[in-house]
Amino acid sequence: MSQVCDICGKGPQSGNSVSHSHIKTKRRFMPNLQKVRHQEPSGEVKTIKACTRCIRNGAVVKPAVKKA
């Protein structure tokens, strides 16, 4: 499963874990991705993986809930 945001393309970044004794080992910083239902401009509803920044900034348009 790829860890890439479907909106902005944000993916994992690499860096170092630094211990108390300052020994560095490689690690990955993963984006905070959420599965969310997104309404396309055509009206189609899809489930996408979006980072929390895209959700918070309004790049993800949530579909209207139909009441029974």
Side-chain angles (χ1 to χ4, degrees):
M1 178 189 294
S2 68
Q3 292 287 317
V4 177
C5 176
D6 292 332
I7 303 287
C8 65
K10 182 188 289 186
Q13 293 183 335
S14 62
N16 289 317
S17 281
V18 182
S19 70
H20 179 69
S21 62
H22 215 65
I23 295 171
K24 296 183 179 89
T25 56
K26 293 304 261 183
R27 61 160 289 186
R28 292 177 86 193
F29 291 93
M30 304 301 272
N32 188 2
L33 296 180
Q34 307 291 322
K35 281 186 179 177
V36 64
R37 286 165 41 96
H38 171 67
Q39 186 170 6
E40 301 284 330
S42 63
E44 182 182 5
V45 177
K46 287 185 174 180
T47 300
I48 62 170
K49 285 188 284 185
C51 64
T52 52
R53 176 165 287 179
C54 289
I55 295 170
R56 189 174 65 228
N57 289 343
V60 175
V61 179
K62 294 189 177 183
V65 178
K66 291 184 181 178
K67 296 187 178 181

